[in-house]
Structures are given as structure tokens and as C-alpha cells.
Amino acid sequence: MDGGAAPGTGPNPPPLALDGVTGIAVGEPGPYGVEYRAQGGLPEGPASARLHEVNGTVGKAQVEALAEALGVPGEPRLRGDVWKSGADGDAGGPSLQVNLQAPGTWTFSAFGPPKGDDCARGKDVCDPPRPARPCPGRRTRRR
């Protein structure tokens, strides 16, 4: 390759680095999740294939079908640009969120969204919840 040529313009581009040094200490979990490696030979792929462009939006019927397949109860609700189905605001059951815009990235949780508790740190038993108080500066009328 010519020393003055731009990278990638020579006859043989540099190899794509798929394996190698990651900067992660031996025995430590990777910050990008589980790493899968194929063992043995892989089947030959096609010489060419169709490309499917994703655009548009995800409809309620599509979210209902996915929720049913995952066992998520309830009718999908559109909140901003996200469809939500199942548990909402508590950890009472499965929940599903699907982005409205294509490709419709989705997130499923078998146990609903995480919910903390009102226990003080280091306390084994929580006090009973306190009754709601009116907002400061707001007066309530007695009739």
C-alpha cells in the first residue's frame, strides 16, 4: 500500500478485527453482555440476499400479537412514542414495551418494572405507609 494513500483505498484493506484484545481483565465479565462464539464449522452463506428496509411505525395489532405470544396481559397503551402492555408502575407481573418507530425495538420483563421500597437502608422491616398529605399552600374546604 502506498504510504500517502488514504486508509481503505489500497488493493487489500486491513483485516476486520473481530477477535483480540478487548481491554477486559481475565475472569471479569464483559461490559457488553454475554459473548457467544461458534465452535466448529459454519454453513456457507448465500452469495447474495435481499435487503429489507424497515420504516414506518409499529401498530397496536402487532404489539397485541407479541404481548399474547409472551403471555403479557392487558391492552397495549401508547405512551409518547412507546407502546406499553402489562404491568405499569408496580412489579406485579410481566411487562412489554415496544418502540412506535420502526424497527420496533422491544423490551420484555417477566416481573414488571423494578420497584423499590420505602425502607430505610439497613432496616429489615418497613414502617407502614404514611397517609398522603395535602400539598403545601393548598387549602381544603370543609363543607
Side-chain angles (χ1 to χ4, degrees):
M1 183 167 149
D2 179 0
T9 59
N12 296 319
L16 181 61
L18 297 176
D19 293 321
V21 179
T22 62
I24 301 168
V26 175
E28 291 294 317
Y32 308 112
V34 178
E35 182 178 315
Y36 296 96
R37 292 181 185 260
Q39 297 203 357
L42 296 174
E44 289 294 320
S48 65
R50 290 181 177 219
L51 172 67
H52 296 276
E53 185 176 356
V54 290
N55 52 31
T57 58
V58 175
K60 184 176 182 178
Q62 293 167 302
V63 177
E64 285 175 332
L66 179 59
E68 183 179 347
L70 294 171
V72 178
E75 185 174 339
R77 307 165 302 281
L78 187 58
R79 300 286 188 256
D81 61 351
V82 176
W83 287 103
K84 294 187 175 196
S85 206
D88 192 17
D90 69 3
S95 68
L96 173 67
Q97 295 187 28
V98 181
N99 288 358
L100 176 65
Q101 289 300 124
T105 303
W106 56 276
T107 304
F108 168 73
S109 173
F111 305 107
K115 181 180 179 186
D117 58 39
D118 295 330
C119 289
R121 184 176 226 152
K123 207 171 176 189
D124 290 334
V125 179
C126 297
D127 294 329
R130 288 180 260 155
R133 291 182 268 159
C135 296
R138 182 175 177 147
R139 295 181 184 179
T140 56
R141 292 185 187 176
R142 292 188 182 188
R143 294 186 187 190

